[in-house]
Amino acid sequence: MQESMQKTSTAYAVSDANVHAQLADLIVRKCSADDATRRGLCMLNARRFDDAIASFNDARGLGASEEQLRTLLGAACLGNGDYATAATEFTVASDDEVSPQINAIRAAHALWSADRPDEAVITLRRAIKRNPEHAELHFQLGTFLASCDQLEEAELRLTQALSIDRNHVDAHVSLALTCGVRLDPKQAVNLLRHAQSLRPNDARIASLLTHAVRAATQQGHAVSVRATVEGSSRVLPDRWIEQIAAIVERDPDFVDAFLSLPPGSVNTRVYENLLRTLEQALQHSPEHAELHYHCGRVLDRLDRPLEAIEQNEQAIELNPNCVRAFIELGKLYQQTNRKADATSRLEQAVRAGADYADVHFLLGNLYRDQGQVLKAKEAYRSALALNKRYEKAKHALSALPK
């Protein structure tokens, strides 16, 4: 029984690790997609249409949707034992309030997929009779009618949806597409411009706006381009940052899912959001040494070495046996040309249990650079005793004076 429980526990751990890796990958892609969209919007505002479209296609190719993030975040919260938050992420809307309308829309889509478009349209018409002020029902009916080439009524339905909900983004987009069909790109630009201002990081809307502006310009219309470009680096909402912080607080090594990636392959915005997450976690657990250590690592990736040193020093102050913080400090002090401090911290790392070949090799380099040849030889030999194939240590040892 105990063995069975251990296997089950291991299976859950693997599952959680897999969810964390997927969540990290999706956040990286989301940040990259956001940057590609911002770049495309700048190109659009500069009327460089081809470059704008290329950037938007790059963003869409990354395939990082908020729905995916919500699903993975819910799974991560579930693995973290935070069932209430997981339920919130998995819940799309309040069933009590919208269930009849949502059911009608689902039924209409099912009928459409079953190649019964007339019944799908009838289903939505009946739902609108019961609730004529429901913008989403008018939008869905307008979209279906447009697909049936009934453009005149489709436009009326989409216009009705917007009169009920001025900020219904998808209705703006669908109405703009009908304008495109009847060769009225100028009106399409107006609709898409408003949609883009409501959803500035949507690459599809930005791409459609670019095509509409180019078409209107080719028709001789003087169209001004004022696409909204978000200036904030906060890709993830504060609510999600708090939830990811709860995961990090319980499992600080979740950060490794990001930091294990090569530095050049990760967008700076990823690290900025990751730093926000760690800072949020530290507000709840300021005495958590591992959180300070990981915070230091992220600050180092953001090229803020002095702050990184401060966080790692805080880590070893809270936990004098935090070996990873000692090693990180050795590297940081070496980067900032403080060789004596680097040497001291790596020696402490070895005494704390970091009897690793690469640590001895780093110590050997520091001893060598400070003219301590005998200590350098000893350190390189210790590295080779642990790893006989350590070529760098072999070359460094042979290069020292006899």
Side-chain angles (χ1 to χ4, degrees):
M1 178 68 175
Q2 185 176 2
E3 182 181 353
S4 174
M5 289 181 67
Q6 286 176 344
K7 287 181 180 179
T8 302
S9 175
T10 303
Y12 275 114
V14 171
S15 176
D16 287 348
N18 186 45
V19 168
H20 290 175
Q22 290 182 60
L23 180 57
D25 174 67
L26 191 57
I27 290 171
V28 169
R29 286 191 285 123
K30 175 95 170 66
C31 292
S32 298
D34 184 73
D35 261 11
T37 301
R38 284 161 51 85
R39 184 168 61 251
L41 292 170
C42 291
M43 295 297 179
L44 170 58
N45 286 339
R47 307 185 79 83
R48 293 170 56 181
F49 301 126
D50 289 337
D51 292 335
I53 291 168
S55 292
F56 297 139
N57 286 337
D58 288 343
R60 295 174 71 182
L62 288 162
S65 69
E66 290 199 4
E67 288 76 12
Q68 289 174 300
L69 276 171
R70 187 179 294 110
T71 299
L72 282 174
L73 185 55
C77 290
L78 197 63
N80 201 30
D82 189 355
Y83 304 115
T85 302
T88 300
E89 292 302 332
F90 287 135
T91 300
V92 177
S94 168
D95 288 341
D96 291 338
E97 182 180 348
V98 299
S99 127
Q101 290 75 39
I102 293 299
N103 285 340
I105 292 169
R106 287 173 177 166
H109 278 275
L111 289 165
W112 186 274
S113 299
D115 200 23
R116 295 157 65 184
D118 292 341
E119 293 177 63
V121 169
I122 290 171
T123 299
L124 290 172
R125 290 191 192 281
R126 287 173 178 167
I128 289 172
K129 273 190 176 181
R130 291 190 295 269
N131 194 339
E133 296 302 311
H134 196 282
E136 185 65 19
L137 288 172
H138 286 282
F139 160 70
Q140 293 289 339
L141 180 55
T143 302
F144 279 20
L145 290 169
S147 298
C148 295
D149 291 329
Q150 300 180 42
L151 293 183
E152 188 173 344
E153 187 184 353
E155 287 198 35
L156 289 173
R157 292 296 181 178
L158 294 168
T159 302
Q160 180 65 17
L162 289 176
S163 70
I164 297 169
D165 180 4
R166 179 76 182 103
N167 293 327
H168 195 301
V169 177
D170 294 322
H172 278 90
V173 174
S174 292
L175 190 54
L177 291 173
T178 65
C179 292
V181 172
R182 58 181 173 81
L183 302 179
D184 186 1
K186 187 176 182 181
Q187 180 60 22
V189 168
N190 294 332
L191 291 161
L192 289 167
R193 187 188 291 131
H194 186 68
Q196 194 273 327
S197 70
L198 294 170
R199 203 182 287 167
N201 289 327
D202 191 313
R204 173 176 173 265
I205 294 174
S207 182
L208 290 171
L209 176 59
T210 305
H211 284 291
V213 171
R214 180 159 62 182
T217 302
Q218 289 171 348
Q219 283 189 2
H221 298 293
V223 180
S224 62
V225 185
R226 296 187 301 275
T228 302
V229 183
E230 285 194 338
S232 172
S233 64
R234 297 191 170 191
V235 174
L236 303 179
D238 289 339
R239 177 175 61 85
W240 288 1
I241 288 291
E242 290 176 7
Q243 292 166 13
I244 297 172
I247 297 169
V248 170
E249 192 174 344
R250 177 174 292 191
D251 180 14
D253 287 340
F254 172 55
V255 178
D256 285 330
F258 298 91
L259 297 179
S260 61
L261 298 168
S265 67
V266 180
N267 194 297
T268 301
R269 294 159 71 84
V270 174
Y271 297 129
E272 290 169 349
N273 281 280
L274 194 54
L275 182 60
R276 288 173 59 208
T277 299
L278 286 162
E279 289 171 343
Q280 183 78 36
L282 281 168
Q283 286 183 13
H284 295 133
S285 302
E287 305 299 310
H288 199 314
E290 287 290 311
L291 288 176
H292 285 283
Y293 158 70
H294 284 297
C295 193
R297 294 175 71 202
V298 174
L299 285 164
D300 181 39
R301 287 288 177 96
L302 288 169
D303 199 22
R304 293 157 64 177
L306 298 182
E307 294 171 79
I309 287 171
E310 184 180 345
Q311 287 294 330
N312 279 285
E313 288 288 1
Q314 182 69 25
I316 60 173
E317 184 177 329
L318 292 167
N319 178 11
N321 294 316
C322 190
V323 171
R324 293 194 292 179
F326 279 122
I327 296 172
E328 192 71 13
L329 281 168
K331 296 175 181 177
L332 289 166
Y333 281 133
Q334 187 174 25
Q335 289 171 19
T336 52
N337 203 28
R338 294 169 60 179
K339 291 185 173 59
D341 290 326
T343 304
S344 173
R345 287 310 190 202
L346 288 178
E347 288 173 343
Q348 288 175 294
V350 172
R351 289 197 294 271
D355 191 23
Y356 309 136
D358 56 344
V359 174
H360 287 291
F361 174 70
L362 291 173
L363 265 173
N365 291 342
L366 287 164
Y367 289 139
R368 178 198 61 200
D369 294 344
Q370 295 171 89
Q372 302 178 47
V373 177
L374 294 178
K375 282 191 171 184
K377 286 183 179 180
E378 184 181 350
Y380 290 139
R381 285 168 181 157
S382 296
L384 289 167
L386 292 164
N387 181 1
K388 294 179 181 179
R389 297 181 179 179
Y390 205 146
E391 293 299 324
K392 288 184 178 180
K394 285 182 183 179
H395 293 315
L397 180 61
S398 64
L400 289 173
K402 300 296 181 183

